[in-house]
Amino acid sequence: VAYNVVVVGHGLVGRELARLLLGGALGLPLRLTGIASSRGAVILGGPGDLVHLHRIYREGGGLEDHPGFREGLGPVEAAVLANAHVAAVAIPPSYVTGEPNRSIVFGLLEHGVSVVTADKTVPALDYDRLVGEAEARNLYVGLRATVAAGTPAVDAARGLRLREVRRLRAVLNTTTSYIVEQVEEGHSYREALSQARAAGLAEPDPALDTLGLDAAAKLVILSRLLGFHASMDAVEREPLESFSEDAVRAAAARGLKVRMVAEADYARGRYRVYPDALAPGDPLYASDPGEAAIVFEVEDSQVTLRGPAGPAWRTARVMLTDLADYVAHARLVERLSPGE
Amino acid sequence: VAYNVVVVGHGLVGRELARLLLGGALGLPLRLTGIASSRGAVILGGPGDLVHLHRIYREGGGLEDHPGFREGLGPVEAAVLANAHVAAVAIPPSYVTGEPNRSIVFGLLEHGVSVVTADKTVPALDYDRLVGEAEARNLYVGLRATVAAGTPAVDAARGLRLREVRRLRAVLNTTTSYIVEQVEEGHSYREALSQARAAGLAEPDPALDTLGLDAAAKLVILSRLLGFHASMDAVEREPLESFSEDAVRAAAARGLKVRMVAEADYARGRYRVYPDALAPGDPLYASDPGEAAIVFEVEDSQVTLRGPAGPAWRTARVMLTDLADYVAHARLVERLSPGE
């Protein structure tokens, strides 16, 4: 028995994940039955549909080049038409209004579709409702790809639940680390940002990275997983640019690295995202701009986790790990409710 | 609704966990209904039983000082008599015969009792059977306390499933790190070992630590969680003492730390535990002997995790995190099978 998957979002991550699923999903019992972009969707029926999709990925076309593309078909309707058991959501964030992300994710759950997501919007804005609605319907929600995808940060936070976690300090936004590297090499912030965007590293809206919204969302999700009632509104944010270009270069000349640091002081309920110049002895220090790092201050000691965050191909792999957990969950539910 | 817990094993970890459960289990819906030691068990009925238990913990007595102590009552029978939903197993390992650990854990599962364990014996020797029998009965098995309890190593390994993990290198046995520290300070191996045993750090059988069995079991469990078919038999082991006392001191004089390193090369299927002199630049290097460290080589990069391993009070806290997951599992099962 295979489970039907719809991929929601056809950017770099969505395309990589669709390709992994088409290529056998590393042996998982999963079948890609639909893909939705922001403009429409394709429901995958016969083998002909797959042939067209393979050609699009080989030749670099868009979803709308598929003959089965249905303009204006929304992700939730697509999931229903595709008989999806689970949706893999990889769409751009929307922290101001929460839309259309909120409607998509809650619409999927209302239709009995489990969700694995790389998008942080809903877990960051509506964590309790997300977990509550999934639980009420015995559905699975996978969040591994929302924080430092590639490094098991979500798993680590889950594993520290009920422990005495006093403080968290982390580098979670690698786009700003890449921007800093460009500025160190003599480019302006403006040039560095457009390069990052061109390389597919920056969010479409650069403010998400440099104003700290991306890091704030990740800080909120980790804090929620640890059991704290964090919210986006409560995170104080300082923009990356509060370090001038010259200040970034002066720090580099002294062997320091400017990084967007996300910090939570749980005793005081204080959450902050701000640029800081890290010294080599700091457990968050990394010369590689693609590396994420987290220090959890737990009880009388520290737990440190570091590793890669992205790029898109790795994020897609992490979503597949979530899908493996979805399969285990779905099998348990099936064994227990044989009537359905 | 509260779930009944029986604590199996009344050493340092079992006592700490029993005290946590008596003290309210940090708000989890858990009720301690029985405790088993190697000599017998107590089934906790009325409030009087709890008063006696509190007094034993306050005054430092043994389980046999409880008026309800039933000599010779085994852990499985105790779990049945205590109407246990879940057992927390913290007994000494038994890697040679696997007994009585195997009979206890599989006996519990056969009687429909979920298991969280700090003991590595069964997951290291019988991983497939353990996971299979639990799954077949829709029971929960928690392994967080088996590897580097205090640092979410088990969670991290789970989070890296289906990724391309090429190699693992780790310091997992902290008892040998403490022994090395004593040897560095001029003591002999023999003195260091008896000190470690007196401090409750070493396993009752010191060979488990210095001959690498403890580290090998942890290496096998992490490898299994990652999806590899590791077994205890396949782990090559070199004893700590293959570094002479003088060699340990000479390494320290050069700024190095001798540590028992556990290593898996998954491409070659080679598993090793051996003492090595680590330099400060090594991601496994730590001057604190109580610290565990793991480097996962994944795809084109490294994931590094470090943090505390033990002591007993922390291990008990980690078992409580497993018990929280047990509660979530039990609630899902109840929602889906209302008839039971």
Side-chain angles (χ1 to χ4, degrees):
Chain A
V1 180
Y3 298 95
N4 297 336
V5 188
V6 65
V7 171
V8 176
H10 204 240
L12 294 173
V13 174
R15 290 169 74 102
E16 283 288 343
L17 182 59
R19 291 170 71 143
L20 280 171
L21 291 167
L22 285 176
L26 305 182
L28 292 175
L30 297 170
R31 181 174 43 221
L32 180 66
T33 58
I35 307 179
S37 72
S38 56
R39 296 170 47 191
V42 170
I43 310 301
L44 297 163
D49 286 336
L50 297 182
V51 171
H52 286 298
L53 200 57
H54 276 291
R55 205 196 48 236
I56 285 169
Y57 290 141
R58 211 169 44 237
E59 298 173 3
L63 195 60
E64 59 280 9
D65 298 324
H66 194 287
F69 184 72
R70 294 161 69 167
E71 182 122 27
L73 184 65
V76 179
E77 302 94 302
V80 172
L81 290 173
N83 288 314
H85 298 99
V86 58
V89 178
I91 59 180
S94 167
Y95 300 119
V96 179
T97 66
E99 290 299 341
N101 311 47
R102 210 177 237 149
S103 298
I104 292 171
V105 168
F106 289 118
L108 289 164
L109 295 176
E110 277 157 30
H111 285 84
V113 180
S114 287
V115 170
V116 310
T117 180
D119 168 36
K120 292 168 288 296
T121 307
V122 178
L125 296 181
D126 289 303
Y127 187 87
D128 286 339
R129 189 181 158 199
L130 176 64
V131 171
E133 295 212 1
E135 198 179 287
R137 294 178 173 81
N138 303 318
L139 298 174
Y140 176 81
V141 170
L143 301 179
R144 280 194 177 94
T146 61
V147 184
T151 297
V154 164
D155 295 275
R158 265 191 224 285
L160 292 171
R161 246 184 331 150
L162 293 181
R163 303 277 301 285
E164 283 168 33
V165 182
R166 303 176 190 284
R167 212 158 151 255
L168 185 158
R169 231 176 120 242
V171 172
L172 298 171
N173 178 278
T174 53
T175 303
T176 46
S177 304
Y178 282 108
I179 287 170
V180 163
E181 193 175 55
Q182 295 292 307
V183 171
E184 285 174 354
E185 289 172 8
H187 296 279
S188 67
Y189 270 123
R190 182 193 289 259
E191 289 165 352
L193 244 173
S194 58
Q195 275 172 29
R197 217 153 42 224
L201 289 171
E203 302 280 2
D205 175 359
L208 293 175
D209 295 309
T210 60
L211 296 185
L213 274 166
D214 175 80
K218 290 165 176 165
L219 181 63
V220 167
I221 293 170
L222 287 181
S223 300
R224 287 287 187 160
L225 289 163
L226 289 167
F228 297 100
H229 281 279
S231 74
M232 286 291 278
D233 291 343
V235 183
E236 302 164 33
R237 289 181 288 108
E238 272 177 50
L240 177 61
E241 290 90 340
S242 57
F243 266 73
S244 71
E245 290 155 4
D246 284 343
V248 168
R249 288 169 204 137
R254 291 161 50 216
L256 308 178
K257 291 278 177 198
V258 172
R259 291 288 184 261
M260 280 299 256
V261 172
E263 195 175 271
D265 179 336
Y266 295 116
R268 299 181 189 183
R270 189 172 183 200
Y271 298 85
R272 287 175 69 201
V273 172
Y274 60 98
D276 198 4
L278 305 179
D282 192 308
L284 296 184
Y285 178 92
S287 52
D288 178 353
E291 199 166 285
I294 308 174
V295 177
F296 301 91
E297 291 187 13
V298 191
E299 293 134 12
D300 58 355
S301 60
Q302 286 192 341
V303 170
T304 308
L305 177 65
R306 44 196 314 147
W313 65 264
R314 198 168 355 236
T315 305
R317 285 294 288 259
V318 172
M319 296 184 85
L320 212 53
T321 302
D322 269 354
L323 286 170
D325 272 3
Y326 161 75
V327 168
H329 175 93
R331 284 179 168 162
L332 173 66
V333 171
E334 271 174 25
R335 284 198 307 274
L336 289 166
S337 39
E340 289 179 23
Chain B
V1 182
Y3 298 96
N4 297 336
V5 188
V6 65
V7 171
V8 176
H10 204 240
L12 293 174
V13 174
R15 291 170 73 102
E16 282 287 343
L17 183 59
R19 291 170 70 142
L20 280 171
L21 292 168
L22 285 177
L26 305 182
L28 292 174
L30 297 170
R31 180 174 44 220
L32 180 66
T33 58
I35 306 179
S37 72
S38 56
R39 298 170 47 192
V42 169
I43 310 302
L44 297 163
D49 287 336
L50 297 182
V51 171
H52 286 299
L53 199 58
H54 276 292
R55 205 196 47 236
I56 285 169
Y57 290 141
R58 211 168 44 235
E59 298 173 4
L63 195 60
E64 59 279 9
D65 298 323
H66 194 286
F69 184 73
R70 293 161 69 167
E71 181 121 28
L73 184 66
V76 179
E77 301 95 301
V80 171
L81 290 174
N83 288 313
H85 298 99
V86 58
V89 178
I91 58 180
S94 166
Y95 300 119
V96 179
T97 66
E99 290 300 341
N101 311 47
R102 210 178 237 147
S103 298
I104 292 171
V105 167
F106 289 118
L108 289 164
L109 295 176
E110 277 158 28
H111 285 83
V113 180
S114 287
V115 171
V116 309
T117 180
D119 168 37
K120 293 168 286 297
T121 308
V122 178
L125 296 180
D126 288 303
Y127 186 88
D128 287 339
R129 188 180 158 201
L130 176 64
V131 171
E133 296 211 1
E135 198 178 289
R137 294 178 174 81
N138 303 318
L139 299 174
Y140 175 81
V141 170
L143 301 179
R144 280 194 177 95
T146 61
V147 185
T151 297
V154 164
D155 295 274
R158 265 191 224 286
L160 292 171
R161 246 182 334 148
L162 293 181
R163 303 277 301 285
E164 284 168 34
V165 182
R166 302 177 191 285
R167 212 160 150 251
L168 185 157
R169 231 177 120 242
V171 172
L172 298 172
N173 179 277
T174 53
T175 302
T176 46
S177 304
Y178 282 108
I179 288 170
V180 163
E181 194 175 53
Q182 296 292 307
V183 171
E184 285 174 355
E185 289 172 8
H187 297 279
S188 67
Y189 270 123
R190 181 193 290 260
E191 289 164 351
L193 244 173
S194 58
Q195 275 172 29
R197 217 156 39 227
L201 289 170
E203 302 280 2
D205 175 1
L208 293 174
D209 295 308
T210 60
L211 295 184
L213 274 166
D214 175 79
K218 290 166 177 165
L219 182 63
V220 167
I221 293 171
L222 287 181
S223 300
R224 286 288 187 158
L225 289 163
L226 289 166
F228 297 100
H229 282 279
S231 74
M232 286 291 279
D233 291 342
V235 183
E236 302 164 33
R237 289 182 288 109
E238 272 177 51
L240 177 62
E241 291 89 341
S242 58
F243 265 74
S244 71
E245 290 156 3
D246 284 343
V248 168
R249 288 170 204 137
R254 290 163 49 219
L256 309 179
K257 291 278 175 196
V258 173
R259 291 288 183 261
M260 280 299 256
V261 172
E263 194 174 272
D265 179 336
Y266 295 116
R268 300 181 188 183
R270 189 171 183 202
Y271 298 84
R272 288 174 70 201
V273 172
Y274 60 98
D276 198 4
L278 305 179
D282 192 309
L284 295 185
Y285 178 92
S287 53
D288 178 354
E291 198 166 286
I294 308 173
V295 177
F296 300 92
E297 290 186 14
V298 191
E299 293 134 13
D300 58 355
S301 60
Q302 286 191 342
V303 170
T304 308
L305 177 66
R306 45 196 314 146
W313 65 264
R314 202 173 345 243
T315 306
R317 285 294 289 258
V318 173
M319 296 184 85
L320 212 52
T321 302
D322 269 354
L323 286 170
D325 272 3
Y326 160 75
V327 169
H329 175 92
R331 284 178 169 163
L332 174 66
V333 170
E334 272 175 24
R335 282 198 308 273
L336 289 166
S337 41
E340 287 177 26

